[in-house]
Amino acid sequence: MAKHTFPRELRLLTPDQFKRVFSDPVRAASPHLTLLACANELGHPRLGLTVPKKALKRAVWRNRVKRLVRENFRQTQHDLPAIDIVVIAKAGIGSVSNADLTHLLDKLWRTLSRRCNG
């Protein structure tokens, strides 16, 4: 049975790791989120999050989005290829319900998987 955890190894932690993704990304976007990805040699996906104050003013609102993205990634990590992903929140994400955000993320994960594998 696959473990559905989110340990340190599944996170992008350093600025260099983020820069590598930003340098030559594969994109999947919606009006509320942009996902950037690039292949890695680790054999598993990793996640990085950026939720700017410009998109959501209050820390509580930013934390809600980050929590939902992390949880959705944790549940779908075994369906993703070995890629590094940076999720960037855009203005207006605060008005999206939790269910709609989950559905949007599922769609964007599939798009990234298809673009990175094919």
Side-chain angles (χ1 to χ4, degrees):
M1 176 157 186
K3 290 186 353 184
H4 292 285
T5 60
F6 190 59
R8 195 169 172 83
E9 297 83 42
L10 296 180
R11 301 177 196 163
L12 295 178
L13 299 170
T14 65
D16 288 338
Q17 293 171 343
F18 278 85
K19 283 179 192 169
R20 197 172 71 75
V21 176
F22 286 124
S23 67
D24 186 30
V26 174
R27 297 177 190 270
S30 76
H32 303 293
L33 290 172
T34 298
L35 274 62
L36 306 175
C38 71
N40 69 35
E41 308 299 323
L42 302 173
H44 58 79
R46 294 190 300 178
L47 178 70
L49 295 167
T50 57
V51 183
K53 279 186 181 179
K54 195 172 190 176
L56 292 168
K57 296 288 184 214
R58 296 191 170 232
V60 173
W61 300 340
R62 292 192 301 275
N63 291 341
R64 173 189 154 256
V65 171
K66 290 190 283 188
R67 187 174 57 250
L68 289 168
V69 172
R70 279 194 305 261
E71 178 63 14
N72 193 275
F73 176 80
R74 185 185 70 80
Q75 292 174 349
T76 60
Q77 65 187 337
H78 300 292
D79 301 328
L80 297 171
I83 55 177
D84 291 341
I85 304 166
V86 175
V87 177
I88 304 169
K90 297 181 188 176
I93 186 109
S95 63
V96 178
S97 71
N98 291 359
D100 289 342
L101 184 57
T102 300
H103 180 71
L104 176 62
L105 283 166
D106 289 338
K107 181 179 163 191
L108 292 172
W109 298 138
R110 283 193 305 273
T111 302
L112 269 186
S113 295
R114 201 169 44 250
R115 290 182 181 168
C116 289
N117 284 336

